[in-house]
Amino acid sequence: VQAELEGFQPVRITNITGEIGAALNYPVTMTVGGMATEVEIIAEVEQVETTTSQLDNVIDEKRIMDLPLNGRNPLGLVFLTPGVSNYRGQASANGGRGRGNNYQLDGVDNNDTSVIGNIVDVNVDAVGEFRVITSNPSAEYGRAGSAIIDVVTKSGSNEYHGNVFWFHRNDNLDAATWAQNYYDLGKGEFKRNQYGASFGGPIIKDKLFFFFNTEQLKTRTAGSFTAITPTQAFRDQITNPAIASIFNTYYPLPNAGNPSVFDETGTVAWNGQYAWAEPDKYDSQEYTIKVDYAHSENHSFYGRYFTNIIDSPTVGNLPGTDIGVYQFTGKSYSMALDWTCLLYTSDAADDN
């Protein structure tokens, strides 16, 4: 930022960092002097907040990229904010309910109204930074009874940048899970592959920019499942052949004990647990594309599209059957169009 006025020494403020949702205030004091002398102020010291009463914390790109994240969801870092705790997997700000949080993505509503949380999760390579507001938010947000989590996606620049990544996990060095040991199912398969790429840069230098990101997740596990099935003693009491056929066809005999219902004597079990292992899968795809256009100093535009596709079939309630099985294929998306317009600028001469 540079300020000049005839008869005064020019003042230039450098090293200013603009953060999401920040209202910066740098008072300029000019002294009488010639134009040949310039005063430079380096904005290194953190400012005392004088423009707003809200309490917030910005998680910048450096922390998003450098801090470890299991699953590569940057919102896992929301708990670095003072006053935010993890309550049943959801962010609770100052004791507020997770359902009261307001999630925003590039200023667009990103709240899942059917359950607690956000609709789309953007991976770490597509997030520039995000702000967590925990108290006294300004009127521009509204709605929230708890925290406001405002995420900004990355944009292209005048230089080409990109990356490719692949994270692989498997069961080679894993022990069997507690359930696999308890039910004597043996150690099952586990393979998790998470890979993707990002690329951004100029289309027209200083004017038009693009950014693209994708992340793919493929997980294959051998899940451990249990069902309550009738014992042979219970089946022997059935006199209707049609009902007996249903039990004998679809319900295997218990193999893990743990009965919960007995006969009138309390000694003969009528049910028990049946345990089995079955392959389980989870696939997801994420795509982000963003285009920025700097029309002039007073007008800038951007458009952003994000989609998340999930494919995760459920396991049946009984082994070897389709009872309770459904194919969960979900697609969520988020779009944003933005026009930033500076309608009025002023200098010292205008104001005086």
Side-chain angles (χ1 to χ4, degrees):
V1 176
Q2 183 158 332
E4 294 181 356
L5 185 63
E6 185 176 354
F8 293 85
Q9 295 178 357
V11 176
R12 184 159 58 100
I13 303 175
T14 61
N15 202 33
I16 296 176
T17 301
E19 297 176 336
I20 172 177
L24 302 179
N25 181 22
Y26 289 93
V28 175
T29 301
M30 304 183 73
T31 58
V32 177
M35 295 291 288
T37 304
E38 181 180 80
V39 178
E40 181 174 352
I41 302 172
I42 300 176
E44 293 182 342
V45 181
E46 268 191 49
Q47 291 185 309
V48 175
E49 184 58 73
T50 59
T51 59
T52 177
S53 61
Q54 73 182 20
L55 298 178
D56 54 33
N57 181 40
V58 173
I59 308 298
D60 58 18
E61 182 181 359
K62 178 174 176 56
R63 285 195 282 180
I64 292 174
M65 299 302 297
D66 291 351
L67 293 176
L69 278 170
N70 186 8
R72 289 175 49 82
N73 184 351
L75 293 187
L77 300 176
V78 70
F79 304 108
L80 296 178
T81 302
V84 177
S85 60
N86 189 334
Y87 179 70
R88 298 181 178 178
Q90 298 293 327
S92 172
N94 303 320
R97 298 181 63 191
R99 187 174 287 276
N101 294 334
N102 183 4
Y103 293 88
Q104 304 225 330
L105 181 61
D106 290 326
V108 176
D109 186 276
N110 188 29
N111 294 285
D112 192 335
T113 56
S114 61
V115 296
I116 300 175
N118 51 314
I119 296 177
V120 297
D121 289 317
V122 185
N123 67 79
V124 295
D125 290 311
V127 172
E129 62 183 6
F130 65 92
R131 179 181 293 269
V132 183
I133 304 173
T134 57
S135 182
N136 297 331
S138 64
E140 67 182 284
Y141 295 102
R143 183 192 177 279
S146 190
I148 296 170
I149 302 169
D150 195 1
V151 179
V152 172
T153 55
K154 288 183 178 178
S155 298
S157 64
N158 272 329
E159 296 183 0
Y160 292 105
H161 294 280
N163 73 321
V164 177
F165 64 90
W166 174 41
F167 296 94
H168 173 72
R169 292 165 55 186
N170 57 43
D171 58 89
N172 291 350
L173 300 177
D174 290 351
T177 65
W178 179 90
Q180 289 168 345
N181 285 328
Y182 180 81
Y183 294 113
D184 195 25
L185 298 175
K187 189 179 80 169
E189 178 191 37
F190 176 81
K191 285 183 173 57
R192 188 179 191 274
N193 290 286
Q194 195 170 17
Y195 54 92
S198 298
F199 188 63
I203 301 175
I204 302 175
K205 192 172 182 180
D206 296 327
K207 283 291 185 181
L208 191 61
F209 313 93
F210 77 95
F211 176 79
F212 173 78
N213 167 267
T214 182
E215 179 176 284
Q216 313 285 316
L217 173 63
K218 297 186 182 300
T219 304
R220 300 294 182 269
T221 61
S224 303
F225 305 94
T226 60
I228 302 298
T229 60
T231 61
Q232 188 61 51
F234 178 83
R235 300 169 197 240
D236 292 341
Q237 306 297 317
I238 299 174
T239 58
N240 187 317
I243 297 178
S245 176
I246 292 174
F247 281 118
N248 293 330
T249 302
Y250 297 106
Y251 291 80
L253 290 169
N255 63 1
N258 300 322
S260 59
V261 178
F262 298 85
D263 66 355
E264 61 276 4
T265 67
T267 59
V268 179
W270 279 1
N271 72 354
Q273 280 188 321
Y274 180 84
W276 77 100
E278 189 169 335
D280 196 10
K281 82 166 188 174
Y282 179 90
D283 293 343
S284 71
Q285 307 171 52
E286 289 184 16
Y287 298 96
T288 304
I289 185 166
K290 188 175 183 181
V291 177
D292 294 81
Y293 177 51
H295 178 270
S296 64
E297 290 185 356
N298 292 344
H299 299 275
S300 61
F301 307 84
Y302 76 75
R304 189 262 305 148
Y305 177 79
F306 174 89
T307 186
N308 186 12
I309 304 170
I310 297 175
D311 179 20
S312 179
T314 63
V315 175
N317 294 335
L318 291 170
T321 72
D322 293 332
I323 300 175
V325 174
Y326 67 93
Q327 181 76 24
F328 177 73
T329 302
K331 182 177 181 180
S332 55
Y333 59 89
S334 172
M335 295 178 289
L337 295 173
D338 180 84
W339 172 22
T340 300
C341 176
L342 185 60
L343 297 177
Y344 173 74
T345 59
S346 66
D347 56 31
D350 293 334
D351 293 338
N352 294 318

